[in-house]
Amino acid sequence: MLTNTLILEIGIAVLLVAIVGLLANKLRFSVIPFFILIGMVLGQHAPTFGAIDLTFTESKPFIDFMGRLGVLFLLFYLGLEFSVGRLMKSGKSIVSGGIFYVLLNFISGLFIGWMMELPFKEMMVLCGIMTSSSTAIVAKVLTDLKRTANPETEVIMGMIMFDDLFIAMHISFLSGLILTGSTSFLAVAGTSALALTFILTFLVLGRKLVPAIDRLLHDKSSELFVLIIFSLLFVIAGFSETIHVAEAIGALMAGLVLADSKYIKKIEGMVLPYKDFFGAMFFFSFGLSIDMYALGGALGWGTLAAFITVVVNVASGYFATRFSGLKPRNAVDIGFTLSARGEFSIIMANIGKAGGLLPVVQSFVVVYVLLLSIISPLLTKESKNIWNALNGSGKDVKPVKKKLSDLEALSEQNKTAQSLR
C-alpha cells in the first residue's frame, strides 16, 4: 500500500543523483559511474531514517519505470543523431575500422565467455556487452578535450555509428533468443528475421513518411508538438515490444525516421532534457538493482575483460588508421576513446535479466562498465603522453652548439666541393 512518503522518496532519489552529478563534473569524470555507484551504495543495504527509506523499497517500481523511459529516450536521441543519410556519407571509416572493431570485441567476448564457462545465451549477452561502446561517454570526452575537429574524430564517429548499427541488430537477435523463450533454432531465426524486417521497413518506408509528419508538425503549439513526438515514440516502441523486438529498437527506429525531418533541431532541443533526466534515472535504477556485496565473483573477470577491451580497441584503431591514412599515433586516440562502456552494455545486461539468465552477467557488467567508464576518459586525456612513453619520443631535444672551428671546417669542405665540380 502506498504511503504519503512516495513523492518524498522520489525527490530524495533525484536530489542524490543531482549531487553525485555535480561531484562528477567537479572531478571532470563521466557521470555514468557515479549514478550507478550511488544506486549501489543505497539500494539494498541502505539505512532507514524515520519515514525516509533509503532503500527506496516503495518508490523502486516508479524509479524502475523512469529508468525504462530513460532507455527509450537514450535510443530515440541516438536515432535523431544517427540519420541514415549521415550513415551513408561516413563510408570508408565505417566499413574499414568498424568491421575490425566489432570483430575484435565480439571475439574477445567469446573468449571471456568461454573462460567463464557460460551457457550460450549468457555468452551472447556478454559478447554484446563487450562490443557496445558508450556513445554518450565518447561524445562527452571528445567535447571536453576539444578534439571534435581532430582528424581522428571523424573515424571515431564512423566506427561508433557502425557499432551502434551492429548493436541494434544484436539486440534484435537477443530478443529472439532470450525474451521470447524460444529454444529451437527455427523459432529464434524467425523472431530475428521479424526484427530485421521491422528495422528495414522503418529505414525504407519511414523516411517516406517524413513529409507527412512535417506537415502534421507545422505551426503547432509547443504542447501539441510534444504530444505528437512522444506519441510516435511510445507507439512505435510499444508496437515493437508486442512483436518481441526490444522496445529500445523501436525507439531507435523512431529517432532514425525523424532524423530527416526539417524540424530536427526543434525535436532534439525538446527531447534533450528528457533524455538527460530519465537517462540519469536509468543508471541510478540499475545501481539500485545491484547487490554490491555480490560483485566479488565477477571482479576478476570484469577487470580482465576491461584490459582486453582496451588492447583490442587500440588494435582496431591501428587498422582504422591504416585504412584512413592517419598517423600511427592516432591508433591510441581512437582505441582509448572507443573503450568507454556505458548505456548499451547495461541495456543488454537488462535483456539478460529480463530473460532470467544467470545473475553473474549483471555482476560482470557492473564491474566492467565502472572500470571502463572511468579508465577510458583518463587514457584518452593522456593518449599523447602514453604514445610518447611507449615509443621513446616527445622528449625535448637540445640543439647542438657548434664551435667556431667546426664552422670553419664546414666552410672549407664546401669550398673543396665547389672546386671539384
Side-chain angles (χ1 to χ4, degrees), residues 146-324:
K146 296 180 173 58
R147 295 187 181 183
T148 54
N150 287 13
E152 73 273 7
T153 298
E154 182 180 350
V155 177
I156 290 171
M157 296 311 297
M159 292 171 69
I160 207 168
M161 287 173 68
F162 185 92
D163 178 52
D164 291 339
L165 185 62
F166 167 78
I167 291 305
M169 300 301 299
H170 192 63
I171 290 176
S172 300
F173 168 72
L174 292 178
S175 299
L177 180 66
I178 298 172
L179 298 182
T180 62
S182 303
T183 56
S184 68
F185 173 78
L186 289 178
V188 173
T191 306
S192 300
L194 178 62
L196 178 61
T197 303
F198 176 76
I199 292 173
L200 293 177
T201 299
F202 264 85
L203 291 179
V204 176
L205 299 180
R207 299 183 72 190
K208 296 182 180 181
L209 296 176
V210 172
I213 295 173
D214 283 346
R215 287 195 295 272
L216 191 63
L217 295 173
H218 182 65
D219 287 338
K220 292 295 186 293
S221 64
S222 58
E223 298 94 332
L224 288 176
F225 194 94
V226 171
L227 288 171
I228 292 170
I229 297 300
F230 280 18
S231 64
L232 289 173
L233 167 59
F234 293 132
V235 167
I236 295 171
F239 174 75
S240 68
E241 187 181 26
T242 63
I243 60 173
H244 303 296
V245 177
E247 59 188 23
I249 296 298
L252 178 65
M253 293 301 106
L256 281 170
V257 169
L258 292 173
D260 292 315
S261 169
K262 65 181 180 180
Y263 297 105
I264 179 61
K265 295 299 181 183
K266 185 176 180 180
I267 296 172
E268 285 181 337
M270 179 201 72
V271 171
L272 183 59
Y274 294 94
K275 187 264 294 185
D276 289 340
F277 174 75
F278 288 109
M281 299 310 295
F282 162 65
F283 294 113
F284 176 70
S285 66
F286 176 74
L288 285 178
S289 67
I290 300 298
D291 183 356
M292 61 181 176
Y293 295 117
L295 297 179
L299 185 60
W301 293 117
T303 304
L304 175 62
F307 173 76
I308 292 175
T309 295
V310 173
V311 173
V312 299
N313 280 5
V314 172
S316 65
Y318 168 77
F319 287 113
T321 57
R322 292 291 300 272
F323 283 103
S324 303

Side-chain angles (χ1 to χ4, degrees), residues 29-32 35 74-75 77-78 81 132-144 157 160 163-164 272 275-276 279-280 282-283 337-338 340-344 373 377:
F29 277 116
S30 167
V31 295
I32 290 177
F35 293 157
L74 283 169
L75 271 294
Y77 194 81
L78 174 64
E81 292 287 303
S132 52
S133 184
S134 171
T135 306
I137 296 178
V138 169
K140 181 173 176 57
V141 168
L142 292 174
T143 302
D144 289 349
M157 296 311 297
I160 207 168
D163 178 52
D164 291 339
L272 183 59
K275 187 264 294 185
D276 289 340
F282 162 65
F283 294 113
T337 305
L338 290 175
R341 295 294 184 266
E343 61 274 19
F344 299 117
S373 60

Side-chain angles (χ1 to χ4, degrees), residues 321-371:
T321 57
R322 292 291 300 272
F323 283 103
S324 303
L326 297 175
K327 297 178 180 179
R329 73 162 303 274
N330 292 128
V332 294
D333 295 324
I334 296 171
F336 290 160
T337 305
L338 290 175
S339 294
R341 295 294 184 266
E343 61 274 19
F344 299 117
S345 296
I346 296 174
I347 288 170
M348 256 171 291
N350 283 345
I351 291 176
K353 182 181 179 181
L357 301 189
L358 295 175
V360 68
V361 175
Q362 294 289 107
S363 299
F364 172 88
V365 78
V366 171
V367 177
Y368 181 69
V369 167
L370 285 177
L371 284 175

